[in-house]
């Protein structure tokens, strides 16, 4: 019979304790143990640090967040300070950035009460001032009115007309942007269709999203628009924002605008992602667009809404994600009819086919396997016309592929941008 002098539960607990809290704090705690509290130290090491922190179901960073939230809710400020300090300075694999720490406290304030959140910020900021130099973070004055929701960005409208509503998300890493990316939406939608991708890209890029004229919160203009009009809209937006050359990500109408922008204002475009779009429609499709214009003028957008949803999303998606489809349908029918008709004309008369060879920037073309509005053959025509362009087809996606297959779409866009 053998006997191991090591208490494995205790040793595993100490290993986790040191990983989460750091050697310095644990050494000090152990050195302060006495015949009065040693049993308690042993208990929490085996129970909390082995039985709980040793479970593989959640990583240590997630457990750290849970502890912070609970200590805020219960007002256990000594324990909260311990985990704030450790969270900011401990092992990089489980460390929280100051911004991540801030998000924990903001969320806890909603669920545990603003007074608890206020106290948590007071304690955390004191520690940040102490360890800031160590972790490369400086607490600096900032006016509350200058803060913006990071999931939305700073909102604005162009000074030029028609006024375009836009949002700008600055890089969350606090560094100079790796690229400036513009996200351009489909007909009958608005800039909110890009929220998920915009927030992902804003980790290290400056991200601009905007509403086309007559859409969302942008102004309309009377009459029928051309694709040149929409491209010039984009150009004046970028010049007002002093964006420099941008990576343009456009879906459907947004991809058409991107082509025309690269042709009319080449100095503003660094690279293109053209998704679910075309350089031109055949005559039958052009006539269908004119018929749509006539229908909307006579009867309104509501009468075409179900047919549009049928083209935007395939049957399986419409069945599985009915609430998402309903949201896009509501956005469509609340779009200004004058602006919608104007943009329908721009889309229906798009024609860059003969000029594609003049586009000289890196280009990714994305198609949806199930897209009937702009099928894969139209995407291939773009690839054939733009030197060096490459094609990616998303399986199980119809026309609005960025909504139906957001993960696959984001992977393609991010991979393309990483290669620039």
């Amino acid at each position: 019979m053998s006997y191991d002098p090591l208490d494995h539960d205790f040793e595993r607990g100490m290993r986790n304790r040191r990983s989460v809290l750091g050697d310095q704090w644990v050494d000090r705690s152990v050195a302060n143990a006495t015949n009065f509290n040693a049993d308690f130290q042993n208990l929490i090491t085996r129970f909390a640090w082995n039985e709980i922190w040793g479970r593989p179901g959640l990583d240590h960073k997630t457990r750290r967040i849970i502890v912070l939230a609970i200590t805020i809710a219960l007002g256990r400020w000594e324990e909260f300070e311990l985990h704030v300090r450790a969270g900011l300075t401990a092992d990089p694999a489980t460390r929280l950035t100051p911004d991540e720490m801030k998000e924990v406290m903001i969320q806890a304030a909603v669920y545990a009460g603003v007074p608890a959140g206020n106290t948590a910020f007071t304690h955390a900021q004191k520690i940040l001032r102490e360890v800031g130099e160590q972790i490369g973070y400086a607490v600096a004055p900032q006016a509350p009115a200058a803060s913006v929701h990071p999931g939305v960005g700073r909102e604005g409208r162009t000074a030029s007309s028609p006024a375009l509503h836009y949002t700008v998300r600055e890089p969350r890493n606090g560094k100079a942007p790796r690229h400036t990316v513009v996200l351009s939406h489909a007909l009958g939608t608005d800039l909110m269709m890009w929220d998920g991708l915009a927030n992902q890209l804003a980790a290290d890029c400056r991200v601009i999203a905007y509403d086309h004229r007559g859409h969302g919160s942008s102004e309309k203009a009377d009459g029928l628009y051309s694709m040149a009009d929409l491209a010039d809209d984009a150009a004046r937006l970028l010049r007002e924002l002093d964006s420099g050359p941008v990576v343009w990500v456009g879906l459907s109408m947004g991809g058409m605008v991107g082509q025309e922008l690269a042709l009319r204002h080449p100095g503003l475009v660094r690279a293109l992602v053209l998704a679910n779009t075309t350089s031109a429609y055949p005559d039958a499709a052009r006539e269908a667009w004119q018929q749509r214009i006539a229908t909307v003028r006579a009867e309104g957008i509501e009468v075409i809404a179900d047919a549009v949803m049928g083209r935007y999303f395939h049957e399986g998606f419409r069945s599985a994600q009915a609430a998402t489809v309903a949201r896009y349908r509501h956005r469509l029918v609340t779009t200004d009819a004058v602006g919608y008709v104007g943009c329908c004309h721009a889309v229906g008369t798009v024609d860059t086919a003969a000029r594609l060879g003049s586009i000289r920037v890196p280009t990714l073309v994305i198609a949806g396997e199930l897209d009937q509005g702009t099928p894969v053959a139209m995407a291939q025509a773009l690839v054939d016309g733009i030197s060096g362009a490459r094609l990616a087809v998303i399986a199980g996606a119809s026309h609005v592929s960025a909504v139906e297959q957001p993960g696959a779409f984001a992977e393609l866009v991010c991979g393309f941008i990483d290669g620039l």
Side-chain angles (χ1 to χ4, degrees), residues 173-190:
N173 63 5
K175 299 178 181 178
R178 187 160 58 103
H179 297 284
T180 295
V181 181
V182 177
L183 304 175
S184 185
H185 66 78
L187 178 68
T189 66
D190 63 20

Side-chain angles (χ1 to χ4, degrees), residues 2-14:
S2 62
Y3 173 72
D4 191 337
L6 290 180
D7 180 334
H8 288 190
D9 288 347
F10 181 84
E11 292 300 323
R12 286 183 173 123
M14 285 297 289

Side-chain angles (χ1 to χ4, degrees), residues 128-149:
L128 265 176
R129 293 184 188 280
E130 295 172 6
V131 305
E133 185 174 354
Q134 176 184 343
I135 64 173
Y137 185 89
V139 177
Q142 179 175 311
S147 294
V148 297
H149 189 299

Side-chain angles (χ1 to χ4, degrees), residues 279-304:
S279 57
Y281 286 106
D283 290 342
R286 286 175 175 264
E287 178 57 34
W289 279 107
Q290 294 307 309
Q291 183 57 52
R292 185 187 298 194
I293 290 171
T295 300
V296 171
R297 280 176 164 169
E299 303 177 60
I301 298 177
E302 176 67 39
V303 298
I304 67 165

